[in-house]
């Protein structure tokens, strides 16, 4: 699942393959840019901004892409067979003499002037893996709406950029609270360490193929994807439910014994329903 660490990896992969090279071919397979041609332009760089990717070209152009749930950028050598999905899922091809970067299933693809980048990423909060990271600012954003459930606040990219469903669930477990706990009810000592903990998790995983939060051999994640298996700490069955307004799929995992705070509200789509509540210590 693309989150800040995997998007950082995608940016590095694109940058290493294309930066400094001249495109010999570009092929946009979306109606809006069907006639766009970047051939002859040199690629300057590719950077990640939260979950967004910005690939810049000489002449003041930037290609903005977002992977969301299913998108992927794949890089292939000259003559190498493309393997990333069927041809009809390709949205764009950027090719140099030696490499081809192929974007599959990209739900967001926008060609814009580099001077307009703030229009697409300017709303984002401090980037957990970016040079603009500011832990105090991120925390102030999170605490600005104290009644908001912690899990929803963590997913709001305007607060801090880079967290998705996996890190949301893992962070809440490590903090010992459920994702439905109001941000304002998070004990002060845990709130203070939240931004630094989030950054440490993403930094530890940005070079890894398999995301790991536990430090345990053979057990990569504490709760995400584990329902209804036993919690690695206490043995209680891990639960899963959707969080949010239902407009997006937000699978949320938690341990009802290790994590204090509210369970999902009545009517939330979930399995292994548990009404057990505790107050944060």
């Amino acid at each position: 699942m693309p989150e800040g660490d995997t998007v950082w990896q995608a940016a590095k992969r694109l940058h290493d393959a294309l930066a400094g090279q001249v495109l010999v071919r570009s092929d946009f397979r979306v109606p809006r840019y069907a006639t766009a041609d970047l051939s002859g332009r040199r690629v300057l760089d590719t950077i990640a901004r939260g979950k967004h990717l910005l690939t810049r070209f000489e002449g003041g152009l930037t290609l903005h892409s977002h992977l969301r749930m299913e998108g992927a950028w794949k890089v292939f050598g000259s003559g190498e067979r493309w393997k990333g999905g069927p041809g009809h899922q390709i949205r764009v091809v950027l090719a140099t003499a030696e490499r081809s970067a192929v974007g599959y299933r990209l739900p967001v693809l926008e060609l814009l002037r580099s001077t307009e980048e703030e229009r697409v990423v300017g709303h984002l909060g401090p980037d957990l893996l970016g040079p603009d990271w500011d832990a105090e600012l991120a925390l102030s954003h999170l605490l600005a709406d104290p009644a908001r459930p912690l899990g929803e606040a963590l997913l709001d990219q305007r607060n801090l950029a880079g967290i998705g469903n996996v890190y949301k669930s893992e962070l809440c477990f490590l903090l010992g609270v459920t994702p439905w706990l109001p941000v304002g009810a998070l004990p002060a000592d845990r709130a203070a360490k939240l931004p630094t903990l989030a950054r440490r998790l993403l930094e530890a995983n940005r070079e890894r193929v398999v995301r790991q939060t536990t430090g345990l051999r053979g057990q990569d994640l504490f709760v995400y994807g584990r329902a209804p298996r036993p919690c690695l700490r206490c043995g209680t069955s891990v639960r899963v439910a959707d969080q949010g307004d239902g407009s997006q799929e937000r699978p949320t995992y938690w341990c009802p014994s290790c994590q204090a705070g509210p369970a999902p509200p009545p009517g939330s789509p979930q399995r292994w329903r548990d009404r057990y509540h505790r107050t944060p210590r």
Side-chain angles (χ1 to χ4, degrees), residues 177-251:
V177 298
T178 73
W180 292 271
L181 181 79
V183 174
L186 186 64
D189 61 329
R190 295 184 226 183
K193 72 179 184 180
L194 191 163
T196 300
L197 177 60
R199 179 174 170 84
R200 189 161 69 241
L201 286 180
L202 266 72
E203 281 189 326
N205 283 288
R206 65 182 179 182
E207 301 280 2
R208 290 175 175 160
V209 176
V210 177
R211 189 178 286 137
Q212 230 265 5
T213 62
T214 66
L216 303 173
R217 185 183 297 273
Q219 302 288 355
D220 297 322
L221 303 174
F222 280 111
V223 289
Y224 190 87
R226 287 191 57 83
R229 287 178 288 168
C231 171
L232 294 176
R233 283 186 177 169
C234 73
T236 301
S237 292
V238 172
R239 309 297 203 257
V240 60
D242 287 334
Q243 185 173 28
D245 60 9
S247 60
Q248 293 180 300
E249 187 177 348
R250 297 295 191 192

Side-chain angles (χ1 to χ4, degrees), residues 156-173:
D156 190 336
Q157 303 299 296
R158 296 170 297 181
N159 291 333
L160 69 173
I163 291 177
N165 291 324
V166 178
Y167 283 118
K168 173 190 75 172
S169 297
E170 295 296 292
L171 276 167
C172 288
F173 179 83

Side-chain angles (χ1 to χ4, degrees), residues 4-277:
D5 52 351
T6 48
V7 175
W8 184 92
Q9 291 172 7
K12 185 177 187 301
R13 195 159 52 246
L14 288 172
H15 182 84
D16 291 348
L18 302 178
Q21 304 299 310
V22 175
L23 294 182
V24 298
R25 175 192 175 200
S26 73
D27 182 4
F28 287 88
R29 302 185 185 183
V30 292
R32 183 179 180 184
Y33 301 113
T35 60
D37 186 5
L38 299 177
S39 299
R41 293 180 185 263
R42 187 176 304 275
V43 182
L44 302 180
D45 62 7
T46 296
I47 66 166
R49 183 73 173 84
K51 298 181 183 181
H52 299 253
L53 287 161
L54 300 172
T55 300
R56 298 166 178 147
F57 309 90
E58 65 180 359
L61 290 180
T62 295
L63 182 62
H64 167 229
S65 60
H66 196 296
L67 307 180
R68 289 192 181 163
M69 296 292 288
E70 303 294 335
W73 278 99
K74 303 287 186 180
V75 174
F76 305 98
S78 178
E80 185 179 357
R81 183 171 176 266
W82 294 355
K83 298 170 290 185
H88 70 267
Q89 293 182 347
I90 295 174
R91 298 293 176 261
V92 62
V93 179
L94 303 175
T96 69
E98 298 181 353
R99 297 282 189 274
S100 292
V102 184
Y104 288 88
R105 302 172 297 279
L106 298 175
V108 175
L109 196 65
E110 184 177 9
L111 194 59
L112 64 153
R113 290 287 176 187
S114 298
T115 54
E116 299 176 346
E117 288 179 3
E118 283 297 294
R119 176 172 60 80
V120 294
V121 296
H123 65 289
L124 298 174
D127 186 342
L128 283 154
L129 293 178
D132 71 321
W133 173 245
D134 185 329
E136 291 185 5
L137 180 59
L139 182 58
S140 69
H141 286 176
L142 289 168
L143 297 177
D145 185 356
R148 192 175 193 187
L150 176 59
E152 293 182 21
L154 288 171
L155 288 181
D156 190 336
Q157 303 299 296
R158 296 170 297 181
N159 291 333
L160 69 173
I163 291 177
N165 291 324
V166 178
Y167 283 118
K168 173 190 75 172
S169 297
E170 295 296 292
L171 276 167
C172 288
F173 179 83
L174 290 169
L175 292 169
V177 298
T178 73
W180 292 271
L181 181 79
V183 174
L186 186 64
D189 61 329
R190 295 184 226 183
K193 72 179 184 180
L194 191 163
T196 300
L197 177 60
R199 179 174 170 84
R200 189 161 69 241
L201 286 180
L202 266 72
E203 281 189 326
N205 283 288
R206 65 182 179 182
E207 301 280 2
R208 290 175 175 160
V209 176
V210 177
R211 189 178 286 137
Q212 230 265 5
T213 62
T214 66
L216 303 173
R217 185 183 297 273
Q219 302 288 355
D220 297 322
L221 303 174
F222 280 111
V223 289
Y224 190 87
R226 287 191 57 83
R229 287 178 288 168
C231 171
L232 294 176
R233 283 186 177 169
C234 73
T236 301
S237 292
V238 172
R239 309 297 203 257
V240 60
D242 287 334
Q243 185 173 28
D245 60 9
S247 60
Q248 293 180 300
E249 187 177 348
R250 297 295 191 192
T252 303
Y253 295 80
W254 81 105
C255 171
S257 294
C258 291
Q259 293 172 251
S268 297
Q270 61 181 301
R271 301 177 184 175
W272 310 289
R273 183 180 295 275
D274 192 288
R275 298 182 180 277
Y276 186 60
H277 297 258

